[in-house]
Amino acid sequence: ENGEVIVYSNDLCGKIDGDGNIILPIIYDEIRSRGRVKYQGLWGVVRNGEQIIPCEYIKLGDYNDSRDGDEPSQHKNGKWGLIGHLEFAYDEINLVADCYYEVRKGDKWGCLFGREFTPCEYSLEEIEKICDSY
């Protein structure tokens, strides 16, 4: 990216620019594309040297600003959610299709379709029938 290079020291990594200036300090376990960084075992996102998503995710799914096709993420508290769209309070979230998610709390299911949310009050079979009508 624009002459940026990942550098390593003592099993940690950071980034420098083409002139050797530090862009990201050498504190990360891993650096991936689109600003994804792993710090002390947890994922977050850094853009333009600023942390826009804190490093507190066990699994950091793909995301965007519109919610279309966002992948669920798992917070360090063990709960699942959608960054910026759905709180991290669920035991399971399945992305079924763009804008359509089945969500589970305990043994009850709900669904999120676009901006319509059906609470976790149903069996999986019931929620599939309800959400088929969307």
Side-chain angles (χ1 to χ4, degrees), residues 17-128:
D17 66 16
D19 296 324
N21 300 311
I22 294 175
I23 298 169
L24 287 178
I26 303 171
I27 60 171
Y28 297 100
D29 305 330
E30 197 173 332
I31 297 174
R32 290 197 181 159
S33 63
R34 297 188 325 250
R36 291 170 176 266
V37 294
K38 189 175 193 181
Y39 177 72
Q40 297 183 348
L42 298 170
W43 289 98
V45 174
V46 174
R47 295 243 170 93
N48 300 321
E50 212 174 297
Q51 192 165 53
I52 62 168
I53 295 177
C55 292
E56 53 187 45
Y57 297 92
I58 295 167
K59 180 186 184 309
L60 184 60
D62 283 337
Y63 65 95
N64 57 48
D65 294 332
S66 70
R67 190 182 343 187
D68 295 350
D70 286 359
E71 292 177 359
S73 297
Q74 185 180 26
H75 192 264
K76 65 184 178 184
N77 69 8
K79 297 295 183 180
W80 290 84
L82 297 170
I83 293 173
H85 302 296
L86 190 61
E87 65 183 326
F88 285 80
Y90 299 93
D91 298 311
E92 184 177 350
I93 298 178
N94 298 318
L95 172 59
V96 178
D98 280 353
C99 296
Y100 173 42
Y101 303 85
E102 295 171 342
V103 299
R104 180 179 62 82
K105 269 189 179 180
D107 63 350
K108 297 294 184 183
W109 287 85
C111 68
L112 176 65
F113 186 79
R115 297 188 186 281
E116 298 292 321
F117 184 74
T118 302
C120 296
E121 299 172 354
Y122 303 92
S123 71
L124 182 56
E125 293 76 22
E126 291 170 323
I127 206 65
E128 287 172 343

